[in-house]
Amino acid sequence: MLSTRVGKVLSAAGLPIDGEVVKGVYMGKGTWGGNGEVMESVCPSTGEVLAKVATATAAETSEAVKRAREAYKTFRKVTGPKRGEIIRQVRNAIAEHKSALGALVSLEMGKIISEGEGEIQEYIDICDYAIGLSRSAAGRVLKSERPGHQILEVANPLGVVGIITAFNFPVAVCGWNFALCLAVGNATVWKPSPTTPLCAIAVTRIVADVLEKNGIDGAVASLVCGGLEAGEALVNDKAVDLVSFTGSERVGQIIGTKVQSRFGKILLELGGNNCAIVAPSANLDLALRTLVFAAAGTAGQRCTTTRRLILHRSIADKFLPRLVKAYENLQTRVGDPLKSHTLIGPLHTRGAKDTFFKALEQVKREGGEILVGGESYAPSSGDLKQGHYVLPAIVKPASPESPIFQEETFAPMLSVAIYDDLDQAIGWNNGVRQGLSSTLFTTDMREMGKWISEEGSDCGLVNVNVATSGAEIGAAFGGNKSTGWGRESGGDAWKQYVRWSSCTINFTDDAPLAQGVNFE
Ligand code: NAD
């Protein structure tokens, strides 16, 4: 018997509350199934089992890919603007369910309700973007060196795109990929995180309904819930033209290598080890407010969470105690993410909590100190006792060279270092494997200029006076180096979801060769 808290959220999202096993595999034409292992979706806030989900076997995953390819053959002929109209309907249907889906994200992933709804808004926003793209995704006409010739760069869809997503953005990341794929004429097969299947099922039901009402085979938006078996089958299937993977560096390296070995296309969005630098001229009030959200928000479980803070020596003694105080104040705001007062929800799993404590131990072992937080949070309410709550921590490792600075600890632990010279701080920002997000708090234009230049941050996201996290969909999103070099969402990211052909066309009766070559 489900609690009222859970029952309300699940039924609003159209999911069963009577204990029935939820089918987690969809491959078009109203077909829902799942012959693989039955997995449990567990609420990170309370430990309550939300539902049992039937997942995909390897064979079902291959079948989903086959059906997606069949659906693609028809879908690629639908005109761009018509595809845009379908995306508009998807957008409206998701918007209609925004609060229900936002609460489901909060329930199943553990982020606070406002961020849950924000995630659905991101799906809506990328649909808006993709509607425009459906009419504007354009190639180019280039001047030829041969008289009467024209060169066209033509974008055609790739075919089938496999989308493998992480637990922490259980809806938006698929949206980034799916909306662009639909705009340019691809079919998709989505494998969500094994711990957030309900979000994926609820969204896919809505999308499938729109597709089917428009006479489009729903296999264009196939779903294979599951773990390793489904994931590996998708990665190894030669009929999957592009694998778009969002997750850890460790898994990204395995998947990237596998896809490359079959000469498939790969888009990687991996871990971040994001850094904020606070310069002497910074507006410290703004930096403080921004950093508390960026470092402790989502309980440190955004790929763009600020994990490293580099303070200029001249402001460190003034700034750090204020930040510590702000973290102390946060301790009264830990709890059930569905409650509006809560700012810090639980970690997603017990394993994540263990990782947090291990990282704190490492800081101490390496001679560093914990300035605030770093303990388990014991909720007063009985039903939250099985949740994975911690108190966000600020630590000061022994030195900026300490090994702990090199790793992404996917939990609310912020490591602090002190710098004297901006080049030194930029060196530390760049001196890690990962290259996702970074920010500089300054009002000095010369510093801003350097930061965004070739001498500045080597990350994919390079901000000024803005959090490392919380990107908008307008610009391309992604990171460099071991973050995988992928770009999703806005900007030119759509260009990765198409195959480009350079087409040289001769409008004359002559046959000149390029570079003046003579063959007569
Ligand atoms: P994860 O790497 O453990 O899992 C991600 C996905 O990969 C899941 O769906 C999982 O089932 C699947 N998977 C695991 N092994 C696989 C295999 N061998 N073959 C195919 N699929 C496999 O990551 P996670 O714990 O869910 O998410 C947290 C990580 O994701 C963090 O490192 C975070 O920084 C990163 N992330 C990055 C971005 C980004 O845009 N750069 C966004 C969100 C999360």
Side-chain angles (χ1 to χ4, degrees):
M1 181 73 182
L2 288 170
S3 64
T4 323
R5 172 184 178 275
V6 169
K8 269 202 319 217
V9 176
L10 293 188
S11 51
L15 293 162
I17 52 170
D18 55 5
E20 126 192 20
V21 174
V22 189
K23 292 174 176 161
V25 180
Y26 171 72
M27 44 181 103
K29 304 202 168 78
T31 325
W32 283 84
N35 297 323
E37 189 189 339
V38 173
M39 291 182 171
E40 286 182 343
S41 167
V42 179
C43 178
S45 316
T46 60
E48 184 173 354
V49 174
L50 302 174
K52 289 186 165 50
V53 176
T55 65
T57 59
E60 277 175 305
T61 305
S62 307
E63 181 61 22
V65 172
K66 215 164 96 195
R67 292 201 194 181
R69 182 153 288 282
E70 277 310 305
Y72 156 70
K73 285 183 186 159
T74 309
F75 188 61
R76 66 185 171 184
K77 291 185 282 189
V78 175
T79 63
K82 171 70 183 156
R83 293 197 296 259
E85 164 56 20
I86 293 163
I87 300 169
R88 191 185 62 76
Q89 292 178 33
V90 168
R91 178 240 183 258
N92 289 349
I94 296 284
E96 225 172 89
H97 295 88
K98 179 174 164 182
S99 58
L101 291 173
L104 181 62
V105 168
S106 177
L107 181 75
E108 195 177 37
M109 184 275 160
K111 63 179 68 175
I112 59 171
I113 184 85
S114 158
E115 291 187 67
E117 289 186 7
E119 182 161 350
I120 307 306
Q121 186 58 45
E122 211 167 331
Y123 196 112
I124 295 165
D125 293 343
I126 194 69
C127 284
D128 282 336
Y129 180 93
I131 296 165
L133 187 65
S134 68
R135 284 182 185 266
S136 63
R140 295 193 295 180
V141 183
L142 298 149
K143 298 289 177 204
S144 168
E145 65 188 62
R146 287 169 277 184
H149 288 50
Q150 297 250 11
I151 305 173
L152 275 58
E153 283 181 346
V154 176
N156 284 306
L158 280 172
V160 175
V161 176
I163 306 170
I164 301 179
T165 53
F167 77 83
N168 64 327
F169 276 89
V171 173
V173 168
C174 177
W176 288 355
N177 285 277
F178 172 67
L180 299 195
C181 281
L182 222 62
V184 300
N186 293 313
T188 60
V189 181
W190 178 16
K191 198 213 77 68
S193 166
T195 55
T196 55
L198 299 179
C199 290
I201 292 166
V203 167
T204 301
R205 284 183 180 184
I206 293 169
V207 171
D209 189 42
V210 172
L211 292 172
E212 288 173 10
K213 276 188 184 142
N214 280 277
I216 304 288
D217 184 348
V220 159
S222 294
L223 175 71
V224 288
C225 285
L228 210 54
E229 186 177 347
E232 284 183 337
L234 198 57
V235 165
N236 293 330
D237 198 323
K238 288 197 180 106
V240 177
D241 301 275
L242 165 69
V243 175
S244 172
F245 173 77
T246 301
S248 58
E249 291 164 77
R250 185 188 67 78
V251 176
Q253 188 160 48
I254 297 170
I255 290 180
T257 310
K258 281 189 180 164
V259 174
Q260 170 59 30
S261 73
R262 63 171 176 82
F263 293 115
K265 202 166 182 227
I266 182 86
L267 199 168
L268 296 173
E269 296 281 356
L270 312 178
N273 189 358
N274 316 297
C275 181
I277 301 173
V278 184
S281 68
N283 176 335
L284 296 185
D285 292 337
L286 177 146
L288 185 74
R289 260 186 296 140
T290 308
L291 274 165
V292 173
F293 166 71
T298 332
Q301 299 167 107
R302 285 188 186 227
C303 53
T304 48
T305 292
T306 304
R307 310 210 175 274
R308 299 178 291 144
L309 174 62
I310 308 185
L311 300 174
H312 191 266
R313 194 174 299 281
S314 64
I315 51 93
D317 285 346
K318 198 158 47 164
F319 187 75
L320 202 47
R322 288 182 67 193
L323 188 62
V324 167
K325 181 81 193 141
Y327 266 57
E328 279 165 2
N329 292 341
L330 270 185
Q331 295 181 355
T332 60
R333 309 289 295 273
V334 181
D336 184 351
L338 285 169
K339 297 259 163 68
S340 60
H341 180 256
T342 301
L343 291 181
I344 307 293
L347 288 173
H348 189 58
T349 57
R350 175 154 301 283
K353 200 170 164 181
D354 294 343
T355 304
F356 177 66
F357 290 125
K358 272 192 205 139
L360 292 163
E361 277 308 311
Q362 187 181 341
V363 171
K364 286 193 266 181
R365 223 178 25 251
E366 289 173 6
E369 53 177 327
I370 295 166
L371 304 181
V372 65
E375 299 116 48
S376 266
Y377 169 73
S380 49
S381 158
D383 54 344
L384 303 186
K385 288 220 156 57
Q386 298 304 314
H388 315 300
Y389 298 93
V390 299
L391 299 179
I394 302 176
V395 303
K396 188 145 182 292
S399 119
E401 314 295 331
S402 298
I404 192 75
F405 274 108
Q406 294 296 319
E407 300 306 322
E408 177 197 50
T409 300
F410 213 60
M413 185 183 85
L414 179 66
S415 302
V416 180
I418 311 292
Y419 80 96
D420 293 295
D421 168 75
L422 185 62
D423 285 335
Q424 179 188 39
I426 293 174
W428 291 339
N429 174 75
N430 296 348
V432 295
R433 287 193 313 277
Q434 310 84 351
L436 181 52
S437 188
S438 56
T439 190
L440 171 65
F441 292 92
T442 184
T443 54
D444 182 332
M445 285 186 64
R446 288 159 303 185
E447 289 192 333
M448 282 181 212
K450 179 177 256 195
W451 176 241
I452 63 169
S453 79
E454 65 281 351
E455 292 178 278
S457 170
D458 65 2
C459 293
L461 309 174
V462 183
N463 297 339
V464 178
N465 297 327
V466 170
T468 53
S469 61
E472 302 174 23
I473 62 94
F477 178 94
N480 303 335
K481 303 193 290 182
S482 76
T483 304
W485 301 99
R487 292 295 183 272
E488 290 179 348
S489 193
D492 277 345
W494 69 270
K495 292 183 176 170
Q496 302 187 78
Y497 299 87
V498 289
R499 63 178 159 79
W500 287 97
S501 315
S502 296
C503 312
T504 307
I505 303 174
N506 182 358
F507 294 98
T508 74
D509 294 322
D510 289 335
L513 297 174
Q515 294 89 42
V517 173
N518 186 1
F519 201 68
E520 282 176 11

